Each structure stands twice: as C-alpha cells, then as structure tokens.
C-alpha cells in the first residue's frame, strides 16, 4: 500500500481516530490512518462489564514495566489497546475531563492556548449531552457521555457516605464544579461501549473514499528528508510499505509507542539512542522522559450482603479532593468500584468492593528502547512512588477511604476490611501497605511533553521541535497529568490537533 497522502496518522486510538475523522471532513484531503491492531470486532469490546477480560488478549499490547523499587520490586502489567479505538476500546469507559486548574497549569508551564477556557470549546465539540449546563456541555458532538443508566445499588451508597463524611457533592464533574463526590459520565451509549472508533470513525468511514484506514499496519520508522518528516515505513501482511505525507505526519500512537517510534527513527536523547544501537537523526532530549501515571492504591472491604452483578463498568461514582486546601486544584481521586480490584498482591473474595485511591504524582520515569529491533518491547519505567509526597498523599487517602467506609450509609454493606486490614494503623505499616497495594491506574502520559523549555518535545502547536512536517497528538504530549482519568483530555487533544493542522481556531469551526 505504498502511496502518497496529504496526511498520514499513525495510531487509531483515542486521539488518532478524532484527527483522521476531522481531517477527512475536507473532501480534497487524502488521509491515511495506520493502526497496528485489527478491527474492533471482538464482542467483549462492546460489552461494558467485560472490559477486564480484554487484558492479555489480541487487542492488548500486553506491555509490562521494569521492576519498580517503590512498589517492592514488582513489575506491573500495562494494558494498552491494540485495535481500532486503541486503549479507548479496552478501558473502563470513565469520561472525566479534569479540573479547570489542570489545564490552567499547562498554560502556566509554557503551553499558551491550553488553559481551561481555551480547550473548553473542544470538550464541548466532542459531546452531546442534552440537558447539560450549556456553558460547559456540548449538544452536537459524536460522543454521548452520561452517568450510568443501570446503576449498581452500591454506587449511590458511596456518594451518600462521602457527603455524610463531610465532603461536598457535585452534580456534574464535567460542568461547573469538578470537585467533590458524584456520578461521573461514562462513554457508554445504548448499553454499548462508545469508543472514538465507534463514535468518530465508524459513521463516516465508508462515506469518505479519501480516508483510508489500514489495520494490521505496524509503523516501524519515520522517514526524513533533512529536517522534514516525509512519511512512515510500516509492516502489513508480512510486507514493508511506505506512506508519504505531502502535508504532515501525525503521530498518535500513545504514551508508549509515540516515543518508541521516534526513538526507533533516531529522534531522541543522543546518548540513549547510541546505547540502543540506533543512529542519531535528531538529538531531542525530552523524548521518552517525563513518563508518569496515576499510582492507584486499593482499599478493599468484604460486603456484608450480596452485591448484584454490574451492568456497566463496575465504577460509576468517584470523588475528587485536595490534600491541602491551599493547592490551586485537586490532587487526589477516589474511584469507587463495586468489585474487588487491585494488584495481584491483594487477593479478595468476589463479593467485595474497592476504594481506588490515586494522586497526581511528582515522580517521573522513562520509556526507552531495549535495542534497535522494532519488534522488541520497550523498557517502561514509571518510577511508581519514587517521590516521598506521592507516598504521603496515598497514606492520607487511605484514611479518607476508611472515613467514608465508616459513614452510616455503608452500614448495611460494610463487612470486614480486607486491605489494609483493621490492624494496620501505624505510619510504618501504612507505608508498607501502600507500597504493596499500589499499581497502575492505566493513565500514562508525558513522554513527548508539550512546552516551551529545553525538555519539551513538541511546541504548543504540537509540532516536533527542530523538525518540520511532524506533529504529535495523544496523551504523550500532556506535560502534567490532571487529577482524574485521562481519556477525555486525550480526545480533546485530538480535536484541537485537527484544528491546528487545518489552521483553524475553535470558534472558526463552531463549537
């Protein structure tokens, strides 16, 4: 499938599907979308409660971290989507944008145009939320996020218990108030997962002959002519193909594979490239650095009565708060799950429920190459709990979970505290528990960080520094993770990237 296109988009995930769909709105633009996985036809993808069963299957890259000193030397499985829709086809379907301050911090970090007021039109453009606050919610977008239409009876118990414990209630995390406890939106429509592949790509794919979607197409390297990126070399059906981009290449392969493809192409820290046996094309120190992910620590209780099976995503309510009232925005999240959930170090009986505790981490890690072979998995080091503040805040969050679990609304449901267990109260024991109970929240970001400084990989218009004809649009450009799940923000990045590529503003294309 060698050929020439106006745009070549690498990766049909949360952002890549958006970029390809929006660019192909212009009928005179030839767009190629490359996806290394297959079609999103596996039945479990569409079935919301089945999402944990997708890990370790053909629709998951099945990555794994290097051993983590902060979690007792454990290596952690890192599921990443390997199908149309990317990780949005295998995730838990939580649709939380983030707090206003999350995006204002991006602007303060050297990313003008990414403050909350500037990105709000893109969030509104993404969605259709009839009856929502029109100042914040959209009504004409492809996605139809909404709170659970078939809630588990434990979900409202959590919200009531959080309020009883003294925390505020929010009516809409994606509206005027992004803090407190409440029902979060889910990307589930008519009882079926609604990924960006389903919402953006599927309705228009057959109607746009100028849009080519190639599945089973694994990009191996980017092609350069001097300082310009001119195309992509990829493998499909056992053969090597070349796709040339007359306008731009857009890298949307995700927080692991976008830096991985840059490094394989000779773009990244020169010393790292030389160590991996890759010729240096462009020395760019920030590639693969700044990796971070919400560390997730699980507090688990056995239920005192049978919990009905979940009909949506097992996690319908949550809470966002600040570890210190003086902070400009929240830095902690509690995801309530009416099932047992945690790393293998926390076995629990099926009739249990979980308080998943996460914080905005200070620790930073890396994605590096193991060598020059494109088929070799990368070396992923998120450096979990590598900063003292990350440990301290999670220890404090355990106390918050216990406080909510002890509130009267949980009285009929609360059984034995399984993890950490009622005898774990002293600071040393709690720190040891946090190390044992913490793993990934599946929210890696930052490895191609946007900014204006020497460590930035892309500028605020998502252009790779020092290279023409190449932009990055996915979670890897996020300079600092927000306080909640990252999927909605990644979709927003895809929407804004499409406007940047076409030289438009949010207002010029409508909201």
């Amino acid at each position: 499938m060698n050929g020439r296109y106006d745009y070549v988009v690498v990766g049909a995930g949360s952002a890549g599907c958006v970029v390809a769909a929006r660019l192909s709105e212009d009928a005179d633009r030839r767009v190629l979308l490359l996806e290394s996985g297959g079609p999103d036809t596996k039945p479990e993808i569409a079935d919301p409660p089945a999402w944990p069963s997708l890990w370790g299957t053909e629709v998951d890259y099945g990555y794994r971290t290097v051993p983590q000193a902060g979690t007792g030397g454990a290596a952690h499985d890192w599921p990443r989507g390997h199908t149309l829709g990317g990780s949005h086809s295998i995730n838990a379907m939580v649709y939380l944008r983030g707090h206003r301050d999350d995006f204002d911090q991006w602007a303060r970090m050297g990313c003008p145009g990414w403050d909350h007021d500037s990105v709000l039109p893109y969030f509104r453009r993404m969605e259709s939320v009839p009856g929502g606050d029109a100042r914040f919610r959209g009504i004409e977008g492809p996605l139809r996020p909404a709170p659970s239409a078939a809630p588990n009876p434990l979900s409202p118990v959590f919200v009531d218990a959080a309020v009883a414990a003294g925390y505020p209630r929010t009516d809409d995390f994606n509206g005027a108030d992004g803090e407190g406890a409440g029902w979060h939106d889910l990307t589930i429509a008519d009882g079926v997962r609604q990924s960006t592949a389903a919402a953006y790509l599927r309705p228009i794919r057959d109607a746009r002959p100028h849009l080519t979607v190639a599945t089973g197409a694994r990009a191996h390297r980017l092609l350069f002519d001097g300082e310009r990126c001119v195309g992509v070399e990829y493998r499909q059906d056992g053969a090597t193909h070349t796709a040339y981009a007359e306008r731009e290449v857009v890298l949307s392969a995700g927080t692991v594979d976008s830096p991985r493809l840059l490094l394989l192409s000779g773009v990244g820290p020169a010393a790292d490239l030389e160590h991996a046996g890759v010729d240096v094309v462009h020395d760019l120190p920030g590639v693969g650095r700044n990796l971070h992910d919400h560390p997730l620590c699980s507090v688990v209780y056995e239920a005192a009565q049978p919990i009905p099976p979940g009909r949506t995503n097992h996690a319908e309510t949550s809470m966002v708060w600040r570890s210190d009232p003086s902070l400009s925005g929240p830095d902690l999240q509690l995801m309530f799950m009416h099932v047992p959930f945690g790393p293998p170090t926390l076995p629990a009986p099926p009739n249990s429920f979980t308080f998943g505790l996460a914080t905005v981490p200070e620790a930073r890690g890396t994605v590096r190459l193991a060598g020059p072979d494109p088929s070799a998995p990368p070396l992923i080091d998120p450096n979990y709990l590598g900063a003292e503040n990350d440990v301290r805040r999670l220890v404090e969050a355990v106390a918050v979970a216990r406080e909510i679990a002890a509130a009267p609304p949980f009285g009929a449901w609360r059984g034995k505290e399984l993890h950490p267990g009622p005898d774990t109260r002293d600071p040393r024991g709690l720190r040891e528990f946090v190390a044992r109970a913490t793993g990934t929240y599946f929210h890696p970001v930052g490895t191609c960080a946007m900014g204006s400084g020497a460590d930035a990989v892309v500028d605020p218009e998502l252009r790779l520094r020092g290279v023409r004809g190449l932009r990055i649009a996915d979670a890897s450009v996020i300079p600092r993770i927000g306080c909640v799940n990252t999927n909605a923000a990644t979709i927003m990045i895809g929407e804004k990237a499409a406007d940047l590529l076409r030289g438009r503003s949010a207002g010029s294309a409508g909201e």
Side-chain angles (χ1 to χ4, degrees):
M1 197 182 294
N2 296 346
R4 293 188 173 274
Y5 304 85
D6 292 290
Y7 300 100
V8 177
V9 182
V10 181
S14 299
C17 288
V18 177
V19 172
R22 293 303 191 192
L23 291 177
S24 64
E25 290 175 346
D26 302 323
D28 60 343
R29 300 288 184 254
R30 298 158 298 161
V31 180
L32 172 64
L33 177 61
L34 298 174
E35 169 53 47
S36 67
D40 55 338
T41 52
K42 189 175 178 66
E44 292 84 355
I45 292 175
D47 183 22
W51 63 267
S53 71
L54 296 167
W55 299 345
T57 71
E58 71 278 10
V59 297
D60 173 18
Y61 278 109
Y63 287 137
R64 192 168 174 79
T65 72
V66 301
Q68 296 295 287
T71 60
H76 300 270
D77 292 331
W78 261 33
R80 296 283 87 201
H82 187 227
T83 183
L84 287 176
S87 292
H88 199 190
S89 287
I90 71 169
N91 74 354
M93 293 154 284
V94 174
Y95 182 87
L96 287 166
R97 295 174 179 175
H99 190 268
R100 166 184 290 272
D101 186 64
D102 292 333
F103 306 100
D104 290 346
Q105 287 213 44
W106 293 6
R108 293 195 294 269
M109 294 172 69
C111 304
W114 292 88
D115 59 280
H116 176 264
D117 288 348
S118 295
V119 302
L120 178 59
Y122 294 104
F123 279 120
R124 295 181 64 239
R125 183 187 298 178
M126 290 157 44
E127 62 181 28
S128 179
V129 183
D133 185 336
R135 296 173 299 165
F136 300 97
R137 307 309 303 262
I139 57 172
E140 297 180 348
L143 291 167
R144 294 159 54 197
S148 174
N152 189 276
L154 258 179
S155 296
V157 170
F158 166 75
V159 178
D160 291 343
V163 173
Y167 295 91
R169 185 191 303 264
T170 178
D171 293 328
D172 184 358
F173 284 106
N174 296 323
D177 190 1
E179 290 184 71
W183 297 81
H184 49 246
D185 287 344
L186 306 173
T187 49
I188 299 173
D190 302 320
V192 174
R193 176 194 295 272
Q194 194 186 37
S195 69
T196 53
Y200 282 81
L201 207 58
R202 193 176 299 157
I204 55 92
R205 182 174 173 181
D206 293 337
R208 297 182 184 175
H210 55 289
L211 170 62
T212 302
V213 180
T215 56
R218 176 76 157 165
H220 278 191
R221 67 186 180 105
L222 302 167
L223 304 175
F224 294 90
D225 180 2
E227 294 181 351
R228 182 175 183 83
C229 181
V230 296
V232 181
E233 181 182 280
Y234 65 98
R235 294 278 293 177
Q236 187 182 45
D237 298 326
T240 300
H241 305 275
T242 302
Y244 292 99
E246 295 187 354
R247 289 178 176 265
E248 295 194 51
V249 172
V250 184
L251 191 49
S252 297
T255 295
V256 174
D257 281 294
S258 282
R260 178 177 171 276
L261 185 57
L262 288 172
L263 294 167
L264 286 170
S265 306
V267 178
D272 288 3
L273 293 171
E274 291 165 357
H275 185 264
V278 176
D279 292 337
V280 179
V281 172
H282 178 47
D283 181 11
L284 194 55
V287 175
R289 309 291 173 85
N290 193 48
L291 174 64
H292 55 298
D293 172 25
H294 291 128
L296 185 72
C297 178
S298 296
V299 172
V300 185
Y301 286 80
E302 191 168 9
Q305 58 177 297
I307 303 172
R311 297 169 60 189
T312 59
N313 72 329
H314 312 299
E316 301 164 333
T317 53
S318 57
M319 186 173 86
V320 176
W321 79 105
R322 309 182 194 206
S323 63
D324 183 337
S326 69
L327 293 175
S328 58
D331 61 335
L332 287 160
Q333 182 193 25
L334 192 164
M335 181 66 64
F336 180 71
M337 292 165 269
H338 54 79
V339 294
F341 190 84
T345 53
L346 300 183
N351 196 51
S352 305
F353 54 89
T354 306
F355 298 85
L357 308 170
T359 189
V360 176
E362 291 182 5
R364 296 293 186 267
T366 58
V367 170
R368 295 176 293 117
L369 294 180
D373 182 358
S375 65
L379 302 174
I380 301 170
D381 181 7
N383 190 24
Y384 286 131
L385 306 183
E388 169 60 24
N389 256 351
D390 299 349
V391 180
R392 177 187 59 79
R393 284 178 289 171
L394 288 178
V395 167
E396 292 176 2
V398 171
V400 171
R402 283 172 156 171
E403 179 186 18
I404 294 172
F410 267 114
W413 291 95
R414 183 179 58 252
K416 179 183 179 182
E417 182 185 301
L418 300 172
H419 305 294
D423 295 334
T424 303
R425 296 284 175 181
D426 63 285
R428 179 176 178 180
L430 286 169
R431 292 174 68 90
E432 290 175 352
F433 166 73
V434 165
R436 179 167 51 88
T438 295
T440 177
Y441 200 179
F442 318 102
H443 299 159
V445 304
T447 49
C448 298
M450 171 173 53
S452 307
D455 291 332
V457 175
V458 297
D459 68 14
E461 294 199 352
L462 305 180
R463 299 172 296 200
L464 196 79
R465 294 178 58 231
V467 170
R468 292 177 290 117
L470 177 61
R471 300 198 204 212
I472 303 179
D474 56 32
S476 73
V477 306
I478 294 174
R480 178 188 180 274
I481 200 167
C483 60
V484 296
N485 310 59
T486 51
N487 185 245
T490 305
I491 299 168
M492 176 275 292
I493 289 168
E495 285 278 13
K496 179 157 181 171
D499 268 8
L500 291 171
L501 284 154
R502 294 186 290 180
R504 299 181 179 181
S505 65
S508 65
E511 296 181 10

